[in-house]
Amino acid sequence: MWCPEGLDEVEAELLGPSEELKDRDVLEIGAGAAQCSRWLVAQGARPVALDLSHRQLQHALRIGGPFPLVCADAAALPFADGSFDLACSAYGALPFVADPRLVLREVRRVLRPGGRFVFSVTHPIRWAFPDEPGPEGLSVSASYFDRTPYVEQDDEGLAVYVEHHRTLGDRVRDVVTSGFRLVDLIEPEWPDWNTSEWGGWSPLRGHLIPGTAIFVCERD
Ligand SMILES: C[S@@+](CC[C@H](N)C(=O)[O-])C[C@H]1O[C@@H](n2cnc3c(N)ncnc32)[C@H](O)[C@@H]1O
């Protein structure tokens, strides 16, 4: 699943035709509980699930799966050049690093020539709206151009959650200047069958403004 809208890889085939995933080496970035890797292994691929959070990887370990889990920063990948055919990320790592080009360059380095990286992030337009699923989430409340990160702190003032904003132009520029070709940029529409609300995502908002941007990138 790429996003709360419900677009899944069976339908979208953004990593390529499902039948061609067999025996492919795939790196999942910001894997969380590694649900994408679990799906990939079922297609016959050889995924590696990477996340910075030990706690997230403990969830992945508890759920199980016959693939390696790697605890590392996506901006410093512990793999040799050209180790993977494909890389993917569903809302992992990229929104949470100050300079996503560091991640993109690392992913490019570990991909083989012709390799593809597909990643989804919150659609940049959402930055300008309150993160609310109801009508209050439909009025612009902040500048789309304000790149000041969103930070939550604990009682001692330590940052416990940080999300960085990139405009759509920033994201395209990040991809291209990191040595990728942008093959497609998908803004999934909210499907009628999806009646669920999740955080700031809802059918009400989903029918009016995009919630997710999915970048399909290839290296030469
Ligand atoms: C919103 S969750 C998405 C998890 C999973 N892909 C999913 O679809 O449920 C973002 C994940 O990115 C991970 N992450 C954040 N910064 C990272 C970094 N610099 N390197 C690797 N993983 C990172 C977080 O630990 C978290 O598991």
Side-chain angles (χ1 to χ4, degrees), residues 28-32 35 50-53 56 72-74 90-93 96-97:
E28 183 184 4
I29 303 274
Q35 44 274 53
L50 178 138
D51 203 285
L52 187 61
S53 160
Q56 286 286 359
D73 184 350
Y91 279 81
F96 310 105
V97 295

Side-chain angles (χ1 to χ4, degrees), residues 108 111-116 178-182 217-220:
R108 185 184 182 282
L111 279 174
R112 297 182 180 125
R116 185 171 266 221
S178 300
F180 282 105
R181 199 162 53 84
L182 184 61
C217 317
E218 269 177 13
R219 62 152 295 179
D220 296 332

